[in-house]
Amino acid sequence: MVPDNKFGLMLGLSIAELCCCCPIAGIIGIIFAVNANNAHKAGDYETYDAKAKAVKITLLIGLAVGLIIGIITLIMNGAMLTALLSESTY
């Protein structure tokens, strides 16, 4: 059975991750998505499945890293704002 080529979805999510979450994971996702698309066009469906799975894993890792960095940034900004507001002026 021939798997569906979800190149547009994989590429779009990789570009979104490149812009929003984790640029390194986004670039790696784009590379894997293009490789998966080339394998699908060549009829090598085993390689396509492997590369598509690699894209999914890369996107999940990038999302997790982006969320962790975002949470840490919010905590640091909140701590800085709290320190600035609690500082008494003389």
Side-chain angles (χ1 to χ4, degrees), residues 1-5 40 43 45 48-49:
M1 182 171 176
V2 177
D4 292 335
N5 189 359
H40 191 275
Y45 300 120
Y48 169 77
D49 286 336

Side-chain angles (χ1 to χ4, degrees), residues 17 21 59-69:
E17 185 162 309
C21 297
L59 290 174
L60 289 174
I61 290 171
L63 181 64
V65 169
L67 287 174
I68 290 169
I69 290 173

